[in-house]
């Protein structure tokens, strides 16, 4: 009993089979692209607070290591903040005013002195991506922290 392989079709896939595979791939890629875009938007909204707190830590460390005063100025209406000394700008960043909202109009600027202490003390309320946070600057010793309120 021998099998004759010459009568079988060995030319490849049919057009219908290729279309089905391409359709499946396009569906999978569109789902991945959609969820990737949603994740990217969520990351952009929450990354502001991470970058802002890292900049504040850098400012405080710069004040401690150089012994010079470092000022922080918030321009909430124009979506910008600036961290600087008399001689140089340490950070000048922009942010989306649609995603980030500063709610305390009284404390728009503060500074770290040469010992790392903060003046004036108080709190700044900021809404990032619909979540409310409080940045609290305590009296003396340069301590500050972020609290998620909602």
């Amino acid at each position: 009993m021998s099998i004759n392989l010459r009568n079988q079709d060995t030319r490849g896939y049919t057009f219908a089979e290729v279309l089905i595979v391409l359709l499946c791939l396009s569906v999978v890629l569109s789902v991945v692209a959609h969820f990737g875009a949603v994740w990217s938007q969520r990351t952009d909204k929450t990354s502001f607070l991470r970058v802002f707190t890292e900049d504040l830590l850098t400012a405080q460390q710069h004040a401690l290591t150089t012994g010079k005063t470092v000022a922080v100025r918030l321009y909430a209406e124009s979506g910008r903040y600036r961290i600087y000394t008399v001689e140089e700008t340490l950070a000048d960043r922009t942010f989306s005013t649609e995603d980030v909202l500063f709610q305390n109009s009284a404390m728009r600027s503060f500074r770290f002195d040469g010992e790392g202490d903060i003046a004036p003390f108080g709190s700044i309320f900021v809404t990032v991506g619909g979540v409310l946070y409080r940045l609290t600057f305590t009296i003396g010793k340069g301590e500050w922290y972020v609290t998620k309120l909602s």
Side-chain angles (χ1 to χ4, degrees):
M1 205 184 235
S2 66
I3 299 175
N4 186 358
L5 297 175
R6 292 184 184 180
N7 290 338
Q8 292 181 350
D9 188 11
T10 59
R11 291 179 290 163
Y13 299 104
T14 65
F15 184 67
E17 290 170 332
V18 171
L19 283 179
I20 290 171
V21 169
L22 289 176
L23 176 68
C24 291
L25 282 174
S26 65
V27 167
V28 168
L29 289 175
S30 66
V31 168
V32 168
H34 171 71
F35 285 115
V38 169
W39 180 80
S40 176
Q41 289 174 351
R42 187 178 307 136
T43 301
D44 288 344
K45 289 179 182 179
T46 58
S47 67
F48 165 79
L49 194 59
R50 180 184 48 80
V51 171
F52 184 63
T53 55
E54 287 175 2
D55 284 343
L56 291 180
L57 282 171
T58 302
Q60 189 173 29
Q61 289 173 352
H62 186 79
L64 284 168
T65 56
T66 63
K68 298 178 182 175
T69 299
V70 176
V72 179
R73 176 79 175 134
L74 302 173
Y75 304 94
E77 298 81 18
S78 60
R80 178 176 164 238
Y81 68 88
R82 183 171 174 244
I83 301 173
Y84 57 96
T85 65
V86 175
E87 295 93 17
E88 64 181 325
T89 297
L90 301 175
D92 193 351
R93 302 199 194 278
T94 59
F95 55 87
S96 169
T97 55
E98 295 175 3
D99 297 330
V100 178
L101 175 64
F102 284 94
Q103 298 179 359
N104 185 358
S105 60
M107 195 168 174
R108 296 298 173 141
S109 65
F110 52 94
R111 65 190 177 280
F112 297 100
D113 65 17
E115 296 177 356
D117 294 336
I118 303 165
F121 61 90
S123 294
I124 297 175
F125 293 90
V126 59
T127 302
V128 180
V131 179
L132 181 63
Y133 296 91
R134 179 180 64 210
L135 282 81
T136 304
F137 303 97
T138 61
I139 300 173
K141 296 192 180 180
E143 294 177 356
W144 59 277
Y145 56 91
V146 179
T147 307
K148 182 178 178 181
L149 299 176
S150 65

